[in-house]
Amino acid sequence: MTDPMNIDAKLAEFPRTRLMSSATPVERLDRLSHRLGIDLWIKRDDLTSLSFGGNKTRQLEFYFGEARQQGADTILITGAVQSNFVRSAAAAAAKLGMQSVLQLEERVPGMGEHYYRSGNVLLAQLLGAEHMSYPVGEDEAGADNALHERADQLRAEGRTPYVIHLGINHPPLGALGYVPGGAELNEQIGDFDAAVVPSGSGSTHGGFLTGLRLSGQTAPVYGICVRRDRDQQHARMQKVLGKLADLMQFDPALVMNGINVWDGALAPGYGQVGSSTREALTLMARTEGIFLDPVYTAKTFAGLLGLLAEGVIHKGQKVVVLHTGGQPALFGYQEELQPN
Ligand SMILES: *Cc1c(COP(=O)(O)O)cnc(C)c1O
């Protein structure tokens, strides 16, 4: 093993606005460990310190670092209607005395009334964010372009906008934010046999894997697909990791063969609650009193159960699951979650 990189020194090269106030807890799930026959731990990134917590707090540190370095007074960001990212960005903007423009995309068909009014939508309104909508949900470039049009208008009004891009061809500042997350877990837990994380944009998965590898941790990291199927997500992870290696200047070979993605819990699709999602969510709640969210973390936990059933993760192994937050969306999924 090569010398672990000095991650802090490397990250100090990038403008950063601190939004995390401390390391997040790592807890052992005793009852689930017993029930599943593994040694199961959870990293509580649902307890990051901004608004209702979640993984976007880490990701936003470097976006806001750059935005403030550029003198921005307004940030623009796009996401699903129940996006945690846009809500967290609006909270960070409020905390830093900036304004926010949130663009909500129609990514999930057939949703009920609460999806459009409660959960993260309500929170973002309370935060005073400006809302726009975008008619389609699978058009990253188009969604980014619409943000740029709004940014141009703001500029004409004398404001200084900063766009947080969704598209993959921009510097992976969100992934950069998760590198210290991986390093933090490594310090907290020492050796383990497998980690299980959600894999959406790939910022969390890519940054977390990188932080672990750069700290010398070699255990497999399984990315559970929440948005795209396995082949698409694998290709996306290669891009994210290639860009992150470029940005931080490490050898991409260190992470490229560590890409593991699994899509057995994705059905019926992004943001839609299938039976394995619902079962995982209630199992965690009823066994450990911990709430998962319907879009990402319930699927991630369903993924862990699937990997265990397939024998990829074995009985007796020490496993860490990353809880990335998202619980406000529970209230946006009221109709979909309520037992009939
Ligand atoms: C955004 C989000 C994810 C996915 O993270 P990516 O970095 O986009 O892959 C996972 N969990 C929650 C709760 C999220 O809000």
Side-chain angles (χ1 to χ4, degrees):
M1 170 72 33
T2 49
D3 271 355
M5 179 188 250
N6 185 337
I7 294 174
D8 288 342
K10 179 53 85 177
L11 294 175
E13 295 171 15
F14 300 93
R16 182 177 190 177
T17 296
R18 294 278 174 178
L19 298 169
M20 296 286 294
S21 61
S22 61
T24 58
V26 175
E27 298 166 354
R28 185 167 191 276
L29 300 178
D30 290 338
R31 286 185 11 97
L32 272 176
S33 291
H34 181 73
R35 178 156 175 161
L36 300 175
I38 56 176
D39 183 17
L40 182 58
W41 296 73
I42 189 166
K43 174 125 177 93
R44 300 292 306 269
D45 273 12
D46 57 319
L47 302 179
T48 58
S49 39
L50 187 71
S51 68
F52 280 80
N55 61 344
K56 301 311 183 313
T57 310
R58 292 189 194 273
Q59 298 189 17
L60 287 167
E61 289 196 334
F62 291 97
Y63 283 113
F64 274 88
E66 190 174 82
R68 296 219 297 178
Q69 191 185 52
Q70 295 176 9
D73 55 23
T74 307
I75 58 107
L76 297 92
I77 184 168
T78 187
V81 172
Q82 282 295 333
S83 165
N84 300 299
F85 205 3
V86 306
R87 177 255 308 163
S88 299
K95 178 180 165 71
L96 299 168
M98 299 164 73
Q99 289 176 300
S100 53
V101 177
L102 314 181
Q103 175 173 266
L104 304 184
E105 304 165 20
E106 288 296 333
R107 284 191 202 165
V108 190
M111 297 301 289
E113 187 196 340
H114 287 90
Y115 185 77
Y116 294 94
R117 301 179 65 138
S118 187
N120 284 308
V121 176
L122 172 65
L123 297 180
Q125 283 164 351
L126 295 175
L127 288 162
E130 174 189 321
H131 280 81
M132 317 168 27
S133 60
Y134 194 74
V136 287
E138 293 302 334
D139 176 16
E140 289 193 333
D144 279 346
N145 283 340
L147 286 187
H148 278 285
E149 279 171 23
R150 181 72 187 117
D152 288 342
Q153 292 170 350
L154 292 173
R155 224 171 268 117
E157 293 164 16
R159 306 242 301 259
T160 309
Y162 176 88
V163 173
I164 297 178
H165 294 101
L166 193 62
I168 189 125
N169 294 319
H170 297 273
L173 297 183
L176 190 63
Y178 248 92
V179 173
E184 183 180 299
L185 175 68
N186 179 62
E187 272 180 31
Q188 288 171 310
I189 198 167
D191 285 342
F192 56 88
D193 298 307
V196 179
V197 306
S199 198
S201 74
S203 299
T204 304
H205 179 189
F208 197 71
L209 171 66
T210 300
L212 287 168
R213 291 293 183 271
L214 293 179
S215 358
Q217 180 70 247
T218 56
V221 174
Y222 297 100
I224 306 303
C225 299
V226 293
R227 176 117 188 245
R228 302 172 184 81
D229 70 23
R230 210 188 132 122
D231 292 343
Q232 286 178 303
Q233 193 63 15
H234 193 278
R236 189 175 180 101
M237 291 314 301
Q238 284 178 317
K239 279 199 186 165
V240 170
L241 289 170
K243 286 193 159 288
L244 186 58
D246 247 18
L247 189 68
M248 291 183 71
Q249 302 202 312
F250 61 83
D251 178 1
L254 192 66
V255 289
M256 283 301 179
N257 61 5
I259 303 175
N260 283 302
V261 292
W262 190 86
D263 65 3
L266 177 59
Y270 174 78
Q272 292 177 272
V273 181
S275 57
S276 72
T277 312
R278 179 189 296 267
E279 280 160 26
L281 198 147
T282 51
L283 178 63
M284 181 65 82
R286 293 171 193 188
T287 317
E288 294 287 349
I290 292 175
F291 287 109
L292 300 172
D293 84 289
V295 182
Y296 301 100
T297 53
K299 283 191 175 156
T300 302
F301 183 48
L304 190 163
L305 299 174
L307 290 168
L308 197 56
E310 287 181 3
V312 178
I313 290 176
H314 309 287
K315 296 272 176 192
Q317 284 192 323
K318 181 172 180 182
V319 181
V320 189
V321 61
L322 179 66
H323 193 330
T324 46
Q327 293 99 326
L330 285 168
F331 304 101
Y333 278 74
Q334 216 155 299
E335 288 95 335
E336 289 72 23
L337 292 172
Q338 242 144 21
N340 318 310

